[in-house]
Amino acid sequence: MPASCPTAFDLARHSLATGLAEMRAVEGDICADRNVEALHAYRVALRRFRSVLSLCTGAFDPVQTAELKTRMKALMAPTGALRDLDVWLLAERDCRAMVAKKHRAGLALVFQTLRGERAAALAQLQTHLRSPAYLAEITALSEIFAEGGTAQPGPRGAEPAAALGRALIHARYLKTCKRAKGLSAKTPDAEVHALRIACKRLRYLLEVFAETLPPAPLKSLMSRMKALQTALGVFNDAAVQGVALSEILQAHPTLGRAEVHSIKALRKALQQSQIRARAEVRHQLGKLLGAKTQALVQSLCTAAPPQGLEIERKFLVQHLPDLTGAEALRVRQGYLTALTDSTELRLRQMGDRYYLTQKGGAGRVRQEREVEITKMQFAPFWPATEGRRVEKTRWHGRLAEGHSFELDLFEGDLKGLRLVEVEFPNEAAAEAFDPPAWFGAEVTEDKRYGNKWMAVHGLPEQVS
C-alpha cells in the first residue's frame, strides 16, 4: 500500500498494480467457464486500469501513458463479444417474461443462436488467455507497475495524491454535469451511452482516490452515482439487445412467422424498457445536478480545515436511535471563563481522562485547541468552575452514511435535554449533510443551546 500521505504517482501506480492482480485472479475461472461474472470482473478491472491512465492526468509519464493505453486496448478487444453474449443469456428469463406467453416459444431460436455464438466466443477467448503472447504481455505489464518497476512519474506525479485527486474529481464532475444537462427525451442512444461512460470515469476517479477523501460524503456521492449508473446500464442493455434482435432478423431471412413475431414482440418490449429507463436516468440526473450533490462534491474537493478549527452542526433529538455498537462515557465539564468572555476555557472529565480546551467564536465554525491533562492538574482548577458546570452521558456512534455523531443525554438541572452533534472535515461537507429522521430541529446558531450558556442559565425556555 502507498504511504499514509502518498504522492499522486504512488497512489495511481498502486491502483494499477491492484487492477492487474484482480485480472490475473479471475483468468482461471474464465478459462474454465466456472462463473460468468469472472469475465465481468476482468473487464471492470481492465476498464478501470485504462481510465486511471487517462484520468490521472500528469501522474504518469505522458509518452509511457500513450503506449500503455494502446496495449490495454488490445487486451480488452478479445473480451467484448463473450461479455455481450453473457449479458443476453443472463437476461433470458427476464426476456421471456417480457412477452406474451404465445410468443415465448418463438424465442427459442434466438437463445439457441446466442448459445452457439457464446460457445465460439468462449473458445476464442480461452485460446487468447492461454496463449504465450498474452501471458508474456500481462506479466510484462505487472512488472511495470510492481513496487520498484519501470512505471515513470509524470509532471504532477510528485504532488500529494489528495491535492491532485480533489482537482481531477472536481473537473470530471463538471464535465459530467455539462454532458448531462443536454439530455432530453429525444437524446440519441449514442449520447446517453457517452454519458454512461462519463459517469463510470467519475466513479473510477472516486475509487482511486478514496483513501484521501472524507468517507461520509464519498459514501453519499457513490450511492447517488450507483443509482444513476444502474439506470444507465438498463438503458444501454435494452438498446444493445434491440439492435442485436434486428441483426438476427436480417441474418435469418427464412425464419418462420412465429419466430419473427416473437422477436418483434421482444424488441418492442425492450423499447418500452428503454423508455422507462430513460425516464429514470433523467430523474437520477436531477439529483446529480442538484444542490445536494454539488455540495457533496464541493466537500470532497475542499481541503480539510486548518488545524485548530472545529466545524460542526448541532440538533435537538426527535427520538433516540438504536445505539447498538455505540459507546457511552460519563462527562462532567465546567468553565473557567465567564459567560461574557470572548474566549471559552473549559475543563472536562470524560470517563477517566481529563482535558483542558480553549474555544473561540460561535456557530458552525469555531476555533478549538485541546490538550489532555492529568487528574492532579485537573483537580485544583475544578472548584473555580462552580456555578458553570454541565453533566451528561455522551454516546459516540456512526450514522449510516459514515459521519460520526455525539449524542448527549444531559443530567442534573438540564435533565431531559438531548442534543446530537456531527463534526465535518470542511464547510462544504457540513452544508451537504442530510440529517437522519431521529434528528430534530437544528440549533447550531442558537446560543441558548451552547453548553456554557446552559451551564449558567439552565434549560432554554421551550424545553424547560
Side-chain angles (χ1 to χ4, degrees):
M1 287 291 291
S4 57
C5 296
T7 64
F9 171 77
D10 286 337
L11 187 67
R13 183 204 60 76
H14 178 264
S15 175
L16 296 181
T18 300
L20 285 165
E22 290 171 353
M23 291 164 59
R24 300 305 313 269
V26 296
E27 287 170 356
D29 284 344
I30 296 171
C31 288
D33 199 21
R34 282 192 287 264
N35 179 3
V36 294
E37 290 305 317
L39 178 58
H40 176 60
Y42 181 94
R43 282 171 57 82
V44 167
L46 186 48
R47 194 181 295 114
R48 185 185 295 115
F49 190 110
R50 292 174 62 194
S51 293
V52 170
L53 284 174
S54 299
L55 298 173
C56 292
T57 311
F60 296 105
D61 174 75
V63 175
Q64 188 178 44
T65 295
E67 176 205 343
L68 288 166
K69 285 166 68 176
T70 300
R71 292 168 70 175
M72 300 309 291
K73 184 177 181 180
L75 287 181
M76 178 70 87
T79 67
L82 180 58
R83 181 56 190 171
D84 288 345
L85 291 163
D86 280 343
V87 170
W88 255 117
L89 293 170
L90 287 169
E92 179 175 358
R93 181 178 295 180
D94 291 338
C95 287
R96 292 183 183 278
M98 285 182 182
V99 300
K101 287 184 179 180
K102 63 181 180 180
H103 294 308
R104 291 174 187 172
L107 293 179
L109 175 65
V110 173
F111 290 101
Q112 181 182 336
T113 301
L114 293 172
R115 275 188 279 273
E117 292 177 0
R118 183 188 185 278
L122 175 62
Q124 285 186 329
L125 184 56
Q126 288 169 330
T127 299
H128 166 70
L129 293 177
R130 291 166 176 159
S131 69
Y134 170 80
L135 293 174
E137 174 68 343
I138 199 72
T139 300
L141 288 167
S142 298
E143 290 173 352
I144 289 172
F145 292 100
E147 190 86 38
T150 57
Q152 297 297 313
R156 302 187 69 178
E159 288 185 25
L164 180 61
R166 289 195 298 266
L168 293 176
I169 289 166
H170 190 253
R172 180 56 51 179
Y173 172 72
L174 293 178
K175 286 182 180 180
T176 304
C177 287
K178 184 177 180 180
R179 183 179 291 277
K181 285 177 182 176
L183 190 79
S184 70
K186 297 182 179 179
T187 300
D189 291 358
E191 292 185 28
V192 181
H193 177 64
L195 174 62
R196 178 170 172 255
I197 299 302
C199 289
K200 282 186 177 182
R201 287 174 175 168
L202 175 57
R203 192 190 81 216
Y204 293 152
L205 270 180
L206 293 168
E207 290 173 348
V208 169
F209 291 98
E211 70 177 70
T212 72
L213 300 170
L218 174 63
K219 185 175 180 180
S220 294
L221 182 57
M222 291 292 278
S223 176
R224 289 169 185 249
M225 293 295 301
K226 182 178 180 181
L228 173 57
Q229 284 190 273
T230 297
L232 285 165
V234 172
F235 179 91
N236 186 68
D237 288 348
V240 170
Q241 290 166 347
V243 170
L245 289 174
S246 296
E247 291 173 350
I248 290 174
L249 286 173
Q250 291 176 356
H252 298 83
T254 59
L255 282 175
R257 187 174 179 180
E259 284 83 3
V260 170
H261 281 308
S262 296
I263 291 171
K264 288 183 176 180
L266 179 55
R267 188 171 60 181
K268 184 176 180 179
L270 288 169
Q271 290 170 346
Q272 294 301 312
S273 175
Q274 246 192 302
I275 291 171
R276 292 190 297 272
R278 186 187 287 265
E280 179 61 18
V281 166
R282 295 178 70 188
H283 171 68
Q284 294 299 333
L285 282 178
K287 296 182 179 180
L288 180 71
L289 299 171
K292 281 288 185 183
T293 304
Q294 290 179 30
L296 283 172
V297 173
Q298 188 65 33
S299 71
L300 286 174
C301 301
T302 303
Q307 190 173 5
L309 206 61
E310 174 189 63
I311 302 173
E312 65 181 16
R313 292 173 65 179
K314 182 184 295 186
F315 300 82
L316 296 173
V317 176
Q318 195 91 304
H319 59 83
L320 290 179
D322 179 3
L323 294 172
T324 303
E327 296 181 354
L329 283 173
R330 289 294 304 276
V331 176
R332 62 169 179 157
Q333 60 193 50
Y335 298 87
L336 294 167
T337 48
L339 192 60
T340 54
D341 291 342
S342 59
T343 298
E344 176 182 296
L345 201 59
R346 181 187 72 198
L347 283 173
R348 170 183 278 177
Q349 179 184 356
M350 185 177 290
D352 57 0
R353 303 178 76 170
Y354 301 85
Y355 303 89
L356 176 64
T357 307
Q358 180 189 47
K359 288 195 175 191
R364 184 180 291 187
V365 182
R366 304 183 68 189
Q367 297 168 346
E368 181 182 70
R369 292 178 177 83
E370 184 170 79
V371 292
E372 187 167 0
I373 59 179
T374 66
K375 182 177 182 180
M376 290 182 65
Q377 291 170 321
F378 176 90
F381 293 98
W382 181 248
T385 66
E386 182 69 38
R388 296 186 299 277
R389 294 174 182 170
V390 167
E391 293 187 3
K392 56 191 177 183
T393 297
R394 167 162 286 184
W395 289 84
H396 293 264
R398 189 168 292 277
L399 301 173
E401 74 277 16
H403 287 297
S404 296
F405 70 84
E406 294 177 341
L407 170 64
D408 289 339
L409 308 181
F410 289 84
E411 300 165 8
D413 292 341
L414 300 177
K415 187 171 183 179
L417 178 64
R418 303 180 300 194
L419 293 174
V420 59
E421 297 177 355
V422 182
E423 192 164 343
F424 303 93
N426 50 57
E427 290 187 69
E431 186 64 34
F433 178 62
D434 190 11
W438 60 274
F439 280 38
E442 182 167 6
V443 294
T444 305
E445 305 293 340
D446 191 337
K447 67 179 183 180
R448 297 173 304 161
Y449 288 94
N451 279 261
K452 185 177 178 181
W453 180 278
M454 293 189 295
V456 174
H457 292 293
L459 283 170
E461 287 184 7
Q462 62 261 44
V463 294
S464 58

